[in-house]
Amino acid sequence: MSLQQVNAKPQHSPQQSVYVLGVRVDRISQHQAVDAIAKRIAERRANGNSLPCQQVITVNTEFVMAAQHNHDFRIAINSAKLVVADGIGIVWAARYLGKPTPERVTGTDMLPLLAQRCAASGYRLFLLGAAEGVAEATGKRLQELAPGLEIAGTYAGSPDPAEEDEIIERIRTAQADILCVAYSAPAQELWIWRNLARLPVGVAIGIGGAFDFISGRQQRAPERMQRLGLAWLYRLYREPWRWRRKLAIPRFMLRVALRGRKNHDA
């Protein structure tokens, strides 16, 4: 990671973004996010694939709470090209601060939509991370949802720095346009951030548990619970061992309320 990246300032106006406990969230819809990613790939191809990679982050309450004590993680989020509101707690906080986001934008919902755009435009996806075989199963499911989609490659790998050179060479050889990384947070965001300058793709996205859901390895909350903002509760019911992580949600809401509607900037 270069000094320029460490000191990078986000190029977003207050009208476009909101800061929640010092963490940036861009106020855009799912379709706007996909449009922005597709636009970047088109620009990069028009420039002979010479433009540098840009990072996209889907931020939820756990991200924000982790960023309170993980300095590098906060820098990675706030310097990303695009940060979308993946979590009902983030949507609530933005509304509370008077700068609402249009909607919740989850990686699981955005990836199939992005796959359809890629299929229509001839853009190639590389799926990295998750358990062995999950990325491959996700690719097959995305091709069912987006006929004509080209999966440039899949690989489980790990966020271990010792593997980085080999993984980046795999991606380079695959000639992908978009990289989706599922190493869970903050490992996936930090992996992208520290390798951003040498990633041979136009856009890299930390996608969290999307591979597990899209491949069918994990079951999503019923749509009604998602609409009510209770997807986290359903996941806790199915995976009770996550209870410590889910404590981030009430802690986050309390901290936002105590901070008030001011002084949330980075």
Side-chain angles (χ1 to χ4, degrees), residues 9-241:
K9 297 294 184 181
Q11 303 298 313
H12 294 258
S13 73
Q15 290 74 32
Q16 294 172 316
S17 306
V18 56
Y19 279 83
V20 180
L21 299 178
V23 175
R24 192 184 103 233
V25 181
D26 297 327
R27 302 165 61 202
I28 66 171
S29 69
Q30 181 170 257
H31 283 280
Q32 288 174 317
V34 171
D35 286 345
I37 294 169
K39 180 181 178 182
R40 178 60 177 183
I41 301 306
E43 290 173 346
R44 184 171 182 268
R45 283 197 170 190
N47 284 272
N49 291 330
S50 61
L51 298 181
C53 181
Q54 293 183 339
Q55 183 167 11
V56 175
I57 294 179
T58 63
V59 68
N60 61 26
T61 55
E62 293 178 35
F63 283 50
V64 174
M65 294 306 290
Q68 301 308 298
H69 55 79
N70 187 327
H71 181 66
D72 284 350
F73 191 31
R74 184 186 293 213
I75 291 174
I77 297 172
N78 288 348
S79 62
K81 180 62 178 179
L82 196 61
V83 183
V84 297
D86 180 359
I88 195 65
I90 301 297
V91 174
W92 167 82
R95 187 183 305 120
Y96 173 77
L97 294 172
K99 296 182 178 180
T101 60
E103 61 182 335
R104 182 184 176 212
V105 182
T106 73
T108 304
D109 290 326
M110 184 170 64
L111 185 51
L113 190 64
L114 180 60
Q116 291 168 1
R117 182 67 65 86
C118 288
S121 302
Y123 302 153
R124 294 159 55 85
L125 287 177
F126 193 105
L127 308 180
L128 174 66
E132 194 70 39
V134 174
E136 183 179 0
T138 301
K140 291 178 179 177
R141 179 57 181 155
L142 288 173
Q143 287 177 319
E144 293 173 358
L145 297 172
L149 172 67
E150 292 186 65
I151 299 296
T154 64
Y155 184 58
S158 84
D160 185 344
E163 277 200 67
E164 288 176 1
D165 290 345
E166 178 190 348
I167 291 173
I168 289 171
E169 186 55 36
R170 281 176 178 265
I171 298 166
R172 188 185 316 280
T173 301
Q175 297 183 329
D177 294 295
I178 299 171
L179 172 66
C180 299
V181 183
Y183 284 148
S184 77
Q188 62 195 15
E189 284 74 27
L190 293 176
W191 189 94
I192 294 170
W193 179 64
R194 68 175 176 262
N195 289 295
L196 199 59
R198 60 181 186 143
L199 281 175
V201 294
V203 174
I205 311 168
I207 214 73
F211 289 2
D212 288 332
F213 291 125
I214 293 170
S215 67
R217 188 168 182 263
Q218 294 285 344
Q219 185 176 339
R220 292 192 78 183
E223 287 189 19
R224 180 173 175 81
M225 292 191 75
Q226 292 183 48
R227 288 196 301 270
L228 292 173
L230 297 175
W232 65 271
L233 184 61
Y234 181 80
R235 193 164 189 187
L236 182 60
Y237 162 72
R238 292 188 58 87
E239 300 174 338
W241 54 269

